[in-house]
Amino acid sequence: MSFAILLWITGCALAPRHPVPKESANSAHIPALSEARVMVDPSSTNALLALAEVLEGFAPIGGAEGPIKVLALSGGGENGAYGAGLLCGWTEAGTRPQFDIVTGISTGSLIAPLAFLGSEFDGQLRQGYTETEPGHIFIKRGFFGILKHRDALTDSKPLQQLIEEMLGEKELAAIAREHRKGRRLLVMTTNLDAQEPVIWNIGAIAVSGRPEALGLIRKILLASSSIPVAFPPVMFEVEAGGHRYDELHVDGGVMAQVFGGALLLAEGWRPHANEPVEFYLIRNGSMGSEYEVTRRKLSAIAGRSISTMMRMQAQSDVLRAWMFSRLAGGSFHYVSIPDDFQEELSEPFDPKYMKALFDVGRQQGLHGIPWQQTPAGLSGVQWPGAAQDH
């Protein structure tokens, strides 16, 4: 019996990869869509130049009349219900602005296209985060399924189908229309081979007219929300030096929980000098620590350690976004799940939990969002060379 299982496993080996050579990693691009993305090495002196590329042709909605409005949506899995609810409540209150730039990571990347397109798509946000069950996101793989595929604990085909239902030809045309006006929709994935974040210019792909544009955008959203180990990574076919290769991408949350602040420092993208910027960050998670007795069990210790690392990463990302906003002379606003939210998560993407969290966000959006203008513990800190909090 054991010998038969071994034969079956080895017979189901994954197809060999054809990865990009190390020396060509930074020049690799999507065939016929070189403007689709930029790879941003955070340690490189050219990082801000790369960010400026994705904002080429940017034009704020209000022209020179009003501030540039940037919305950044964080990762957080099922906690995306909070951001979805907040946006819907904000619409109901009649005070939700149209944003010039929208960025998203992980669950934030699924919210971002609908947030970018505006309140007309709130119904899809509500449905996606209040009527979704675990079976709409993933299929658990059994022991032999895990051995067969060897890349994840689950199959993400249901999530892929959900993305296809959310983003169709109608949404593609609407994104293209807004991109032509000068607005920008950006999503981040993680290139595992290069260990670098990749920023995808969703609007540029939408206006390309390429027949593969819709499928590529859906694939990007799937990759951005594919939590490593839990969900399979996503393979992208790329071109470098006239040859075809592949790249392995996973959740953008591996690199950051939120992004967009560094965009404010990129040179030359503001159409008018000294144009004010308002940066809004929706953190789909709580910022405070959560006490929980950890069992002396490998899975419990690993899970608790990872969640702690992600929480610290989120705090660092919020601090970084605040610093970039201040350095750029802009105003900063962030909000997160209130620390007193007590609903227990019984399983990943628990419908009861998500509905309760959606309602918390909706009530805040409807009755007044408690925006914070400095990260926790930094209220009153004087930041030289930038506008004061207001």
Side-chain angles (χ1 to χ4, degrees):
M1 177 67 176
S2 298
F3 180 68
I5 292 173
L6 180 62
L7 286 177
W8 179 77
I9 293 171
T10 55
C12 295
L14 298 177
R17 289 195 54 200
H18 188 41
V20 181
K22 180 180 179 180
E23 62 273 13
S24 301
N26 288 325
S27 62
H29 60 273
I30 301 296
L33 279 169
S34 58
E35 72 281 10
R37 66 182 201 169
V38 296
M39 287 180 61
V40 184
D41 179 356
S43 64
S44 170
T45 55
N46 295 322
L48 293 180
L49 292 176
L51 292 174
E53 285 183 37
V54 300
L55 293 173
E56 186 176 354
F58 168 78
I61 301 165
E65 301 298 322
I68 296 170
K69 292 182 172 61
V70 181
L71 174 65
L73 298 155
S74 85
E78 57 277 308
N79 285 336
Y82 172 71
L86 188 142
L87 287 167
C88 289
W90 204 356
T91 295
E92 291 180 63
T95 55
R96 176 175 155 188
Q98 187 179 42
F99 292 94
D100 298 287
I101 301 171
V102 177
T103 76
I105 284 181
S106 196
T107 194
S109 73
L110 302 181
I111 298 172
L114 303 178
F116 179 76
L117 293 177
S119 57
E120 177 187 346
F121 294 84
D122 281 1
Q124 287 177 244
L125 274 179
R126 180 186 295 272
Q127 180 179 353
Y129 284 93
T130 63
E131 299 178 21
T132 296
E133 299 182 359
H136 298 148
I137 304 295
F138 61 86
I139 300 170
K140 289 183 179 179
R141 288 174 174 167
F143 175 75
F144 292 115
I146 293 171
L147 288 179
K148 176 183 178 181
H149 295 280
R150 290 184 290 167
D151 61 357
L153 300 176
T154 71
D155 188 327
S156 60
K157 282 188 175 64
L159 176 58
Q160 183 177 344
Q161 183 177 347
L162 199 65
I163 291 171
E164 290 173 0
E165 293 171 359
M166 177 190 80
L167 191 72
E169 294 290 348
K170 173 187 173 184
E171 290 76 20
L172 182 73
I175 290 171
R177 184 171 59 248
E178 295 305 314
H179 182 85
R180 290 190 186 98
K181 292 178 183 177
R183 300 175 64 213
R184 293 294 177 264
L185 171 61
L186 310 172
V187 165
M188 181 186 287
T189 63
T190 298
N191 181 334
L192 276 184
D193 299 323
Q195 290 189 318
E196 290 185 1
V198 178
I199 297 178
W200 298 84
N201 193 337
I202 303 300
I205 300 171
V207 301
S208 69
R210 302 289 302 177
E212 66 270 28
L214 180 57
L216 176 59
I217 293 173
R218 288 169 170 172
K219 200 172 184 180
I220 292 164
L221 299 185
L222 178 64
S224 183
S225 49
S226 290
I227 304 166
V229 181
F231 295 164
V234 176
M235 198 87 76
F236 287 89
E237 183 180 84
V238 297
E239 186 175 285
H243 299 282
R244 294 293 177 97
Y245 301 100
D246 60 56
E247 291 176 348
L248 207 60
H249 286 239
V250 295
D251 193 333
V254 170
M255 300 300 303
Q257 290 298 299
V258 67
F259 81 103
L263 293 169
L264 306 183
L265 298 182
E267 293 291 335
W269 66 272
R270 295 194 201 185
H272 308 284
N274 301 319
E275 194 154 21
V277 177
E278 293 180 359
F279 187 87
Y280 294 85
L281 191 163
I282 297 177
R283 161 68 180 144
N284 292 304
S286 60
M287 296 302 289
S289 59
E290 297 175 353
Y291 184 82
E292 179 182 302
V293 176
T294 306
R295 291 175 296 162
R296 293 185 63 180
K297 184 179 177 183
L298 181 61
S299 59
I301 294 169
R304 185 65 170 168
S305 298
I306 291 170
S307 67
T308 301
M309 285 190 291
M310 291 180 67
R311 183 178 297 278
M312 294 307 297
Q313 181 190 51
Q315 292 177 356
S316 296
D317 289 340
V318 170
L319 176 61
R320 188 178 298 111
W322 173 75
M323 285 174 20
F324 287 147
S325 296
R326 297 302 301 266
L327 285 169
S331 61
F332 177 80
H333 315 265
Y334 91 95
V335 67
S336 59
I337 296 174
D339 290 339
D340 60 3
F341 177 70
Q342 297 297 319
E343 185 71 34
E344 293 288 334
L345 181 66
S346 62
E347 61 177 335
F349 302 98
D350 173 11
K352 181 182 176 185
Y353 175 92
M354 291 171 68
K355 287 176 183 175
L357 192 52
F358 180 93
D359 191 57
V360 167
R362 176 179 171 271
Q363 291 300 320
Q364 286 189 341
L366 188 59
H367 299 296
I369 303 171
W371 295 111
Q372 303 296 309
Q373 271 132 13
T374 54
L378 290 180
S379 180
V381 172
Q382 299 298 310
W383 191 254
Q388 297 301 306
D389 290 326
H390 55 278

